[in-house]
Amino acid sequence: MAGGGFTNGGGGGEFEAKITPIVIISCIMAATGGLMFGYDVGVSGGVTSMPPFLKKFFPSVYRKTVLEKGLDSNYCKYDNQGLQLFTSSLYLAGLTSTFFASYTTRRLGRRLTMLIAGFFFIGGVVFNAAAQDLAMLIVGRLLLGCGVGFANQAVPVFLSEIAPSRIRGALNILFQLNVTIGILFANLVNYGTNKIKGGWGWRLSLGLAGIPAVLLTLGALFVVDTPNSLIERGRLEEGKAVLKKIRGTDNVEPEFLELVEASRVAQEVKHPFRNLIKRRNRPQIVISIALQIFQQFTGINAIMFYAPVLFNTLGFKNDASLYSAVITGAVNVLSTIVSIYSVDKVGRRMLLLEAGVQMFLSQVVIAILLGIKVTDHSNDLSKGFAILVVVMVCIFVSAFAWSWGPLGWLIPSETFPLETRSAGQSVTVCVNLLFTFVIAQAFLSMLCHFKFGIFLFFSGWVLIMSIFVVFLMPETKNIPIEEMTERVWKQHWFWKRFIDDEYAYDEKVANVSNGYDPASRL
Ligand code: BGC
């Protein structure tokens, strides 16, 4: 627990908690924030491969891909900064807004932050679907990005806090499950709208994002805020009442005391971001940043954003490209369910390590296949080869979907103590979106220069991240969220050196200097 005092509250084990309908419903509603994020991730690849969209907004790409087919190298035909900016601007706005979101998550609560996200999303959808020129398109993407910044800040924290610890992993992964459903939904929509003759299919694709946007907004109106957040904002009685309701028992005193204590420590922090860089917070912040960089350098978004474009590059026809993207999208959803089932049983480390092997091998095979078959100007990827590439991409996507995808969001949201949770989550989201932006902005150019070698580049990263997990990633399964410091970081062979003494010292100084008695808050 963060700071002693009520360590026995959890009895070193779990608190009494039933799996109540209100917890499940709240989580399902909150997780629709993931749906929106996923839809935005998935929709851009599809619309940017639709000729009418290119013709209207990116005429030079249109010329290269449709009119002058075959003149440019296969690997380079989509290499256009403007086009990449359409995809990437969302992430730029997202990473900036996350710092505001950190403030609102802490001061206004998780629920209101989700509501703000919903409003941004609705605004973004309106601009995008009605876009008359590139400027409107980009403004829409920027608003959506703000929505992502706020939603990805609040939703994972909300889920981790409201869940009983024994199913925290599974409930938190509902966020990622929604991300994958959002991507799949976008892929399916693109597949359908591409067939619309009038050339306005892309508008429908962008406009249908309104569905998840409205769902999140309604969800945020209905859910209750987490007890952690209520207590953090001084609403102790309300926090306790909510705790009783969500845990389905009146015996919540031990957990309540632990939350009050965590909140007391959090109150003493006047500068959350400055606090974050203190030595004792080093383990969580390093792990969170590393997780985000690694998650993006698996290369997943090269596939998620640009699958249709990539398959087009490999010589698939437009329809086949979108169709293949639907297949990878479906694999993504199903494999996420595997992780919901197993994360609280086999644990986080096991999933990450198994997936590391699977991702490494599949990427190397993809690189070899493309290296042999896709030369700069050929268009002769035979059917057999094409199917093999899609199968390999699916093997890669499935491994990501039960490991780095969900765990990249789960682990940071559950390892920070309350005092740094909002700030920590905001750095997490920011780094995630920064590197998502880097991939979105650079992938098509990288593909143009590295060609098939791009997959070797990503596989090298997979190797590095797996080694990182072996040595530096502790297991967090089944540990109550406010006990991570004691039971995870202080026990870890490497990370414990950052926590031990300074923590005890700081605590003593804080208590002596303000003569504070935690029980006085009750
Ligand atoms: C990542 C996204 C990615 C998605 C794919 C998420 O966890 O943060 O960048 O597009 O997984 O399913």
Side-chain angles (χ1 to χ4, degrees):
M1 184 177 62
F6 292 103
T7 320
N8 293 333
E14 287 189 13
F15 299 113
E16 187 180 332
K18 300 198 177 77
I19 299 175
T20 54
I22 180 171
V23 161
I24 303 293
I25 292 170
S26 302
C27 288
I28 290 174
M29 288 186 153
T32 53
L35 208 58
M36 192 64 213
F37 178 42
Y39 193 88
D40 289 332
V41 166
V43 82
S44 53
V47 291
T48 51
S49 73
M50 291 179 192
F53 177 83
L54 291 174
K55 191 172 175 188
K56 186 167 173 68
F57 298 106
F58 302 96
S60 67
V61 183
Y62 177 71
R63 256 195 321 277
K64 273 202 224 170
T65 51
V66 182
L67 300 181
E68 302 163 1
K69 233 182 189 159
L71 286 186
D72 235 321
S73 155
N74 268 336
Y75 286 108
C76 296
K77 57 189 176 188
Y78 287 96
D79 177 15
N80 176 287
Q81 292 297 317
L83 188 65
Q84 297 182 95
L85 189 66
F86 165 70
T87 302
S88 67
S89 52
L90 184 148
Y91 302 95
L92 213 51
L95 70 93
T96 319
S97 60
T98 169
F99 291 103
F100 299 97
S102 162
Y103 178 82
T104 60
T105 310
R106 200 171 145 95
R107 289 298 151 99
L108 306 179
R110 293 36 169 158
R111 191 181 79 89
L112 269 185
T113 306
M114 292 193 273
L115 191 62
I116 298 175
F119 289 138
F120 272 121
F121 280 138
I122 292 175
V125 171
V126 170
F127 265 86
N128 263 350
Q132 294 304 324
D133 49 28
L134 191 57
M136 271 183 90
L137 205 58
I138 301 285
V139 169
R141 290 290 283 180
L142 292 175
L143 287 173
L144 290 176
C146 293
V148 169
F150 278 79
N152 289 20
Q153 163 81 24
V155 173
V157 169
F158 177 92
L159 296 172
S160 282
E161 287 182 342
I162 209 158
S165 54
R166 67 180 183 284
I167 55 161
R168 185 180 58 236
L171 286 186
N172 184 286
I173 293 177
L174 284 181
F175 172 72
Q176 175 69 13
L177 181 67
N178 274 270
V179 173
T180 60
I181 293 174
I183 296 176
L184 176 62
F185 178 43
N187 289 336
L188 283 167
V189 167
N190 283 337
Y191 184 63
T193 58
N194 186 44
K195 295 191 188 323
I196 293 176
K197 289 282 174 292
W200 50 269
W202 61 268
R203 267 191 210 285
L204 194 57
S205 287
L206 297 179
L208 283 175
I211 297 179
V214 169
L215 281 181
L216 174 65
T217 313
L218 291 180
L221 285 173
F222 287 119
V223 295
V224 289
D225 214 338
T226 66
N228 314 49
S229 175
L230 291 166
I231 293 169
E232 187 181 24
R233 287 177 287 136
R235 292 154 68 174
L236 299 187
E237 284 314 315
E238 206 180 326
K240 193 185 227 173
V242 169
L243 197 58
K244 285 183 182 163
K245 203 151 106 188
I246 61 175
R247 298 291 178 248
T249 167
D250 281 341
N251 177 22
V252 293
E253 208 56 23
E255 186 173 5
F256 177 67
L257 290 180
E258 185 162 289
L259 294 182
V260 170
E261 168 61 2
S263 143
R264 179 193 69 77
V265 176
Q267 298 304 324
E268 277 163 16
V269 174
K270 293 286 168 287
H271 304 284
F273 285 97
R274 213 178 296 158
N275 187 48
L276 206 54
I277 51 179
K278 284 204 176 136
R279 185 176 159 82
R280 66 159 184 264
N281 291 318
R282 204 67 48 80
Q284 297 93 328
I285 195 74
V286 170
I287 294 268
S288 299
I289 291 179
L291 271 172
Q292 304 316 313
I293 300 177
F294 289 154
Q295 188 201 55
Q296 291 306 313
F297 277 111
T298 56
I300 186 67
N301 279 326
I303 312 277
M304 291 301 139
F305 295 153
Y306 296 121
V309 168
L310 184 73
F311 291 133
N312 238 320
T313 300
L314 305 184
F316 289 30
K317 299 267 166 315
N318 231 15
D319 214 35
S321 299
L322 289 169
Y323 182 68
S324 311
V326 170
I327 296 180
T328 52
V331 169
N332 197 11
V333 175
L334 294 177
S335 310
T336 306
I337 297 173
V338 173
S339 107
I340 292 188
Y341 179 75
S342 52
V343 68
D344 293 315
K345 298 194 175 70
V346 303
R348 286 65 165 150
R349 278 171 57 86
M350 179 70 151
L351 287 173
L352 289 169
L353 290 173
E354 184 283 332
V357 177
Q358 192 172 324
M359 290 195 291
F360 178 81
L361 293 178
S362 51
Q363 280 173 326
V364 170
V365 174
I366 294 173
I368 294 173
L369 287 176
L370 299 195
I372 298 173
K373 271 298 184 189
V374 184
T375 53
D376 280 350
H377 293 280
S378 72
N379 255 334
D380 66 344
L381 196 66
S382 67
K383 194 142 185 226
F385 255 98
I387 290 177
L388 203 55
V389 172
V390 175
V391 169
M392 282 299 146
V393 169
C394 288
I395 291 180
F396 165 75
V397 168
S398 66
F400 174 88
W402 60 59
S403 62
W404 290 91
L407 300 182
W409 295 108
L410 167 64
I411 295 173
S413 76
E414 69 181 7
T415 50
F416 283 104
L418 187 62
E419 51 168 313
T420 48
R421 194 166 302 146
S422 298
Q425 180 69 9
S426 124
V427 171
T428 301
V429 179
C430 181
V431 176
N432 182 282
L433 297 180
L434 176 64
F435 283 84
T436 310
F437 166 78
V438 168
I439 297 285
Q441 189 63 31
F443 176 69
L444 295 179
S445 307
M446 282 163 81
L447 183 66
C448 174
H449 291 109
F450 290 3
K451 304 190 167 49
F452 61 88
I454 182 105
F455 289 100
L456 294 179
F457 169 81
F458 288 133
S459 69
W461 276 97
V462 169
L463 200 61
I464 295 173
M465 61 189 84
S466 301
I467 295 172
F468 180 92
V469 172
V470 170
F471 292 107
L472 293 175
M473 184 80 78
E475 181 58 63
T476 48
K477 116 180 139 169
N478 293 348
I479 314 249
I481 192 165
E482 310 298 353
E483 291 179 19
M484 290 289 170
T485 308
E486 286 295 327
R487 292 178 55 190
V488 174
W489 304 111
K490 282 192 179 177
Q491 313 298 333
H492 190 268
W493 72 273
F494 179 73
W495 298 117
K496 67 177 179 203
R497 74 193 65 194
F498 291 92
I499 297 186
D500 273 355
D501 302 336
E502 197 200 342
Y503 212 92
Y505 175 77
D506 269 16
E507 279 302 294
K508 225 185 275 156
V509 172
N511 286 340
V512 169
S513 65
N514 61 11
Y516 187 86
D517 172 10
S520 66
R521 290 196 45 128
L522 301 176

